[in-house]
Structures are given as C-alpha cells and as structure tokens.
Amino acid sequence: MCVGALDQQKAESIYREFTPLIGDESTPFPSFLGSDGRKVVTFCSNDYLAMSRSPRAISAARKALELEGVGAGGSRNIGGTRKVAEELEAELASLHVKDAALIFNSGYLANFVPMKVISKRFNAIVFSDQQNHRSIIDGLDTYKAGVDKHIFQHNDVDDLRRLLKQHCRPDRPAVVIFESLYSMEGDFSPLAEIVTVSKEYGASVFLNEVHAVGVMGDEGGGVSSASEVLKDLDLVIGTFGKGYGTVGGYIAGQSDIVDAIRCFGSGLIFTTALPPFLVAATLTNVRHLRESSHERTALIEKSDLLKKRLAEFEIPILFDCSHILAAPIGDERATLEISAQLFDAGYYVTPMRYPTVPRGDGRLRLTVTPAHTDTQIEQFAKALAGIYARVVL
Ligand code: PLP
C-alpha cells in the first residue's frame, strides 16, 4: 500500500532511518556504542545540559520506582494522578510566575492539545509563526475546516500586525503563538515586540519555550523569565525532553486557561499519565536547575568553543546566538553523505531534511553539552571540516 510513497522518499534522499545507540559503561554520555560496537560521540543531542545523567535525578527515580512501580496505572482522571505530579506542576507554575501548570506526556502534546482546545472548543482565531513546530501545526489542522488560523512570516512583527488588524473580531478570542528559540535555525524571536503588538489587538499570547527551559534564564525559566513581558504571557509551553533530560511536556499560565485545557483536552484525559518515577526525576532536575547555573554556564562555554572552531574552519552556521548551531548544507543527498561520513569517523549528527526543514534546505543541527570535553569538540570540528570540504566545497 505504502511502498510507492516510501520509494519516492528514498529517491529524494528524505527517507528516515533510525540509528540505534547503545549506552555502555565504557562509553559515558555523550558517547555511545553504535550497533556495530564502535564508539560514537553524539553532537546533536537535545539533552542540552546532560541532565538525563544527573545522579540526583537517577536516585530520585530509583526511590520512586521502588515505592510506586514502573507505571502510573491510569490516566490523570482515573487513578494516575500522584502527589509528585502535582508537586511538579506547582514548581513549574512558580518557575514561570503563573497561577497554574499542567503536565503532558510529551512536549508535542503540550502544544497539540492546547491548540486543538482553543481552536475547536473556544473558536479562537489563531495567529501562528510560519516556522512553528509541527505539533502546533498539527493541533491547528486537526479540525481544519473549522479552524480560523493565520500564519505570519517568521519573526515578522509587521506581518503579524497586518494579520491581527485584518482578522481580529471583538466577538471571538484571538491567540498569537510563537517560539522563543527556533530549533532548526537557532534564532530567537522578537519577544517583546510580538507581545506588544498582540496585546494592542487584545490577543492572548502563547509562547513555546521548549528549547530554552532549563537552559536559559536565571532559574532555567527560559528566555521570557528575564523579560518584562513575562506577566503578559497567557501561556508558556515547555518540555522535559530537552534541557531537563527526561520526557514529558507542560503548560503554565492563568488558571482559567490551564483548567480549560485540562478539562477539554482529550490528549490529556484519554491517556495513561507519565510514570511517577519519571515525574520524580523531572522534579529533581527542575528544582536543581532553579538553584544551580553551572550547567548553563558550561553549555555556553562548550557551545562557544564549537562556534569558534566552526568559524575558523569556515563552516557557516545560520545563527550563532544560542546553543543550537545549524550548519546549512542544502542538497539532501550531501546532507546524508556528511552525516554518514561523520558516523564512520565516530560522530553522530542527524541529517536534517524535509519535512523537518524545507526541501533543498538540508542541514546539520549541531549541539554540545557540558559533558563534552574540549578535546572531543576540537576533534569533531576538525573531522567535520575535512568531510565538509570533500562533500560541499
Ligand atoms: N515544540 C518544539 C518547538 C519542538 O522543537 C519540539 C521537539 O523538538 C517539541 C515541541 C516536542 O517536544 P517533545 O520532544 O518533548 O515531544
């Protein structure tokens, strides 16, 4: 049934193959064993602060495992709400200085569910940045026929203003949704300007901080935590899967919005809750990163080193303002080839291709963590430069 479509993907070099990585005592993070038993160092992890390896989180998870078992045993509504989940929600509300928070089984769901609820149930007119994550797009597309959505040019405040002016109506709620830090480019949004123009038109503002929570802001509260407009954000969306090193997602905001999403969000109600041991590990990491900034400082230092070496080897990156370094390659086949050659050289970097990025815009999305040694970074940059010169130049 699907063979033709898959063959087409293969012909276009956009067919996805997963690369199994094995954690092993001989290869501590960021190293793994590949399935052929050779060591590979990852340079594309979203475990930005290496918090998946936090001894305190592992010990909290172990303790909860013993006490509560490996599963929640039900949805949040049917026996699956443990005290630790509510403690985590209180911690997240406090982190973002909001009334309430609600956790989901993934960051994907923390976008998808609110988008579906506000557009379907509350008939909101939604204004969404052109480069918003797939989970936002999917949440708005679920009920395509009924959804009134307007896509503004990426980070373009004038385009947003134009659309707000044209489409806002006094009898319907309006919501603007965008991200603080974009994952495939590594660029920031003009946060204050977008909030200001949204509020001029009476729109609510939802900010996706998935790539910034844990990683930015004094206590890991993301880009908005240091911003004067934090109080104007109606909903902050985060994940545990990146800076916090576990799995799951969340929203934090005004209690009425959070409660509405809780009550009308089918992607929350009709699914088994996160296992308590994972929630306990997450809570430990969230609390730790509120108190400790040395992981954030180390990430900046390591990223700066990689940026410096990439610049010396004249490997372009799209933006150099964050820990996400996207090296544009263009042709999908070349992107695949570089990734394969890196793997042979002992480095793992996923080849980013359509539909994650536009067609013909293949790229390597490079990240380091505090666990990378300077030597690993130096050697990786050198290996990449050699391969890049052979494949691209
Ligand atoms: N939102 C954004 C902006 C993302 O980039 C991602 C994943 O990369 C997600 C949400 C999904 O988060 P999770 O991996 O926790 O499902």
Side-chain angles (χ1 to χ4, degrees):
M1 180 175 78
C2 317
V3 175
L6 292 174
D7 285 346
Q8 177 74 22
Q9 281 207 335
K10 286 176 190 165
E12 292 174 15
S13 298
I14 58 170
Y15 178 72
R16 287 167 202 252
E17 286 181 88
F18 295 158
T19 306
L21 300 173
I22 304 159
D24 187 85
E25 274 176 8
S26 64
T27 55
F29 185 81
S31 302
F32 292 90
L33 295 182
S35 45
D36 60 0
R38 282 189 304 141
K39 181 181 147 183
V40 284
V41 186
T42 179
F43 274 86
C44 62
S45 178
N46 281 337
D47 185 5
Y48 298 129
L49 300 173
M51 293 304 287
S52 70
R53 311 296 155 132
S54 150
R56 286 171 68 184
I58 292 170
S59 140
R62 277 209 183 104
K63 201 169 153 200
L65 260 176
E66 295 296 334
L67 291 172
E68 312 231 27
V70 291
S75 66
R76 288 295 297 269
N77 206 32
I78 309 180
T81 297
R82 304 292 172 81
K83 189 161 172 285
V84 69
E86 295 198 333
E87 280 171 5
L88 177 56
E89 287 170 342
E91 192 72 36
L92 294 164
S94 149
L95 173 68
H96 294 291
V97 202
K98 298 292 173 200
D99 302 338
L102 182 67
I103 62 176
F104 293 83
N105 289 5
S106 69
Y108 182 97
L109 285 170
N111 282 321
F112 181 90
V113 174
M115 286 301 106
K116 188 175 153 190
V117 170
I118 56 152
S119 55
K120 188 195 169 214
R121 176 77 206 190
F122 294 102
N123 200 23
I125 306 170
V126 182
F127 301 84
S128 174
D129 187 284
Q130 184 193 25
Q131 288 193 16
N132 273 342
H133 188 256
R134 186 54 178 252
S135 48
I136 296 171
I137 298 168
D138 286 355
L140 293 172
D141 274 354
T142 308
Y143 289 87
K144 212 169 199 161
V147 171
D148 198 349
K149 65 171 193 284
H150 305 280
I151 312 302
F152 58 96
Q153 297 295 309
H154 179 52
N155 278 349
D156 187 334
V157 181
D158 291 334
D159 196 40
L160 172 61
R161 180 182 289 105
R162 179 184 67 78
L163 289 169
L164 285 164
K165 192 170 173 189
Q166 199 178 338
H167 298 286
C168 275
R169 292 173 32 178
D171 58 335
R172 284 181 59 191
V175 171
V176 173
I177 174 139
F178 65 109
E179 300 178 18
S180 58
L181 169 60
Y182 286 86
S183 158
M184 287 301 138
E185 285 75 22
D187 59 329
F188 290 102
S189 54
L191 173 60
E193 288 92 327
I194 291 185
V195 172
T196 305
V197 71
S198 305
K199 292 293 160 184
E200 266 170 38
Y201 288 89
S204 298
V205 182
F206 290 11
L207 178 67
N208 177 310
E209 287 259 40
V210 157
H211 291 277
V213 288
V215 181
M216 288 177 180
D218 282 348
E219 298 182 12
V223 176
S224 60
S225 68
S227 153
E228 282 188 8
V229 296
L230 175 62
K231 59 181 183 335
D232 298 319
L233 298 179
D234 298 280
L235 207 71
V236 177
I237 299 154
T239 183
F240 307 132
K242 308 188 193 297
Y244 292 121
T246 64
V247 68
Y250 68 92
I251 55 173
Q254 279 168 229
S255 11
D256 58 341
I257 297 182
V258 174
D259 208 31
I261 293 167
R262 186 179 69 85
C263 292
F264 294 107
S266 52
L268 174 82
I269 297 294
F270 295 103
T271 190
T272 301
L274 283 172
F277 74 89
L278 260 169
V279 179
T282 305
L283 178 59
T284 304
N285 282 350
V286 171
R287 283 187 175 151
H288 175 80
L289 289 172
R290 292 191 77 178
E291 285 160 12
S292 165
S293 58
H294 92 252
E295 292 83 357
R296 287 186 281 279
T297 310
L299 176 62
I300 293 169
E301 284 169 9
K302 301 289 178 182
S303 301
D304 283 351
L305 176 60
L306 181 57
K307 281 177 210 175
K308 208 166 144 204
R309 292 294 172 259
L310 294 176
E312 282 165 11
F313 287 121
E314 297 183 5
I315 298 174
I317 50 174
L318 294 176
F319 294 92
D320 70 353
C321 47
S322 78
H323 55 285
I324 298 172
L325 307 178
I329 307 297
D331 179 54
E332 281 84 7
R333 204 168 306 207
T335 314
L336 265 181
E337 181 58 29
I338 296 179
S339 171
Q341 290 196 24
L342 278 171
F343 202 80
D344 285 343
Y347 301 103
Y348 175 54
V349 178
T350 307
M352 293 297 177
R353 291 154 298 152
Y354 179 83
T356 309
V357 295
R359 274 183 201 279
D361 257 348
R363 66 194 66 165
L364 302 176
R365 180 182 175 277
L366 307 172
T367 56
V368 287
T369 73
H372 285 77
T373 64
D374 289 1
T375 311
Q376 282 172 329
I377 296 172
E378 304 275 3
Q379 289 176 346
F380 167 73
K382 210 167 153 196
L384 175 60
I387 295 167
Y388 186 87
R390 283 197 298 278
V391 177
V392 178
L393 301 179

